Each structure stands twice: as C-alpha cells, then as structure tokens.
C-alpha cells in the first residue's frame, strides 16, 4: 500500500543492513521492538506506534479517508475503529471539567 501516485512507498528507508540491502519488515520490527524495550516499554509492540500515530492524526484533524489511505485500509470502517479513542477523550474531558448537576 502506498500514497505515491507512481506506486512507490512514500517513506523509503535510508537505513540499510550490513550487506547494503534495505531493511525488510522483519528486521525493522526487531529494531523497533528492541528500542521500545530499551525505552522502558517491554509490553509495547511496533504496531502500537502505527495505532498511536493514526489516532493522533485523527485527533488533530486529519480526515479519516487520508489516514485510511496512509494505513493501507481498504475499508473506512477499519480506520473508524480508531475514532472511539477520540470519543473517549471527549467524554473524559466533559466528566473532568463540566460541573456536576
């Protein structure tokens, strides 16, 4: 999946393996997982970053359609699952800051 009109990936990695080949998905996963453990998040997974990134984009006003395309989702319903977190934010904010009646 890609956003580039020519079918190429939008975010090509400049990172290379020792043999000069670009990082494959499995190697990138291992590097990211190691960094997460080192940062103190042993229970987190690289997919968590994808989910967080998409949620933050939606939270800051990105359209569902753009986020869906970036993530490679073919159905908007898949991306809309991320919206429940934003709804939870609104509910929490109302509960925290509005006077109790």
């Amino acid at each position: 999946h890609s956003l580039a009109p020519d079918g190429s990936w939008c975010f090509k990695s400049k990172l290379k393996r020792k043999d000069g080949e670009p990082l494959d998905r499995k190697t990138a996963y291992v590097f990211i997982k190691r960094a997460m453990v080192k940062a103190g998040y042993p229970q987190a997974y690289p997919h968590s970053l994808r989910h967080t990134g998409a949620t933050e984009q939606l939270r800051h006003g990105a359209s569902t359609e753009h986020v869906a395309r970036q993530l490679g989702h073919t159905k908007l319903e898949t991306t809309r699952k991320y919206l429940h977190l934003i709804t939870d934010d609104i509910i929490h904010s109302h509960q925290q800051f509005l006077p109790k009646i």
Side-chain angles (χ1 to χ4, degrees):
H1 304 281
S2 116
L3 292 177
D6 66 358
S8 65
W9 290 99
C10 289
F11 305 106
K12 290 186 179 180
S13 175
K14 294 185 190 274
L15 297 174
K16 305 282 185 198
R17 297 185 322 202
K18 289 180 182 179
D19 62 6
E21 290 294 316
L23 291 180
D24 57 67
R25 183 180 179 143
K26 185 176 179 179
T27 305
Y29 182 96
V30 170
F31 284 162
I32 294 167
K33 180 61 180 169
R34 283 182 191 158
M36 294 173 97
V37 169
K38 189 174 181 178
Y41 299 99
Q43 300 300 320
Y45 292 92
H47 189 80
S48 307
L49 298 175
R50 175 180 160 91
H51 186 87
T52 300
T55 301
E56 287 301 309
Q57 287 181 50
L58 292 168
R59 189 175 280 143
H60 287 90
S63 74
T64 307
E65 292 81 7
H66 288 162
V67 173
R69 189 158 178 205
Q70 180 182 9
L71 295 173
H73 294 163
T74 55
K75 297 180 182 177
L76 283 179
E77 289 305 313
T78 305
T79 310
R80 287 190 179 121
K81 291 177 184 179
Y82 293 83
L83 293 174
H84 77 88
L85 296 174
I86 297 165
T87 303
D88 290 348
D89 290 344
I90 294 167
I91 291 168
H92 177 72
S93 178
H94 278 69
Q95 291 172 342
Q96 186 177 1
F97 299 109
L98 290 178
K100 307 253 189 273
I101 300 177

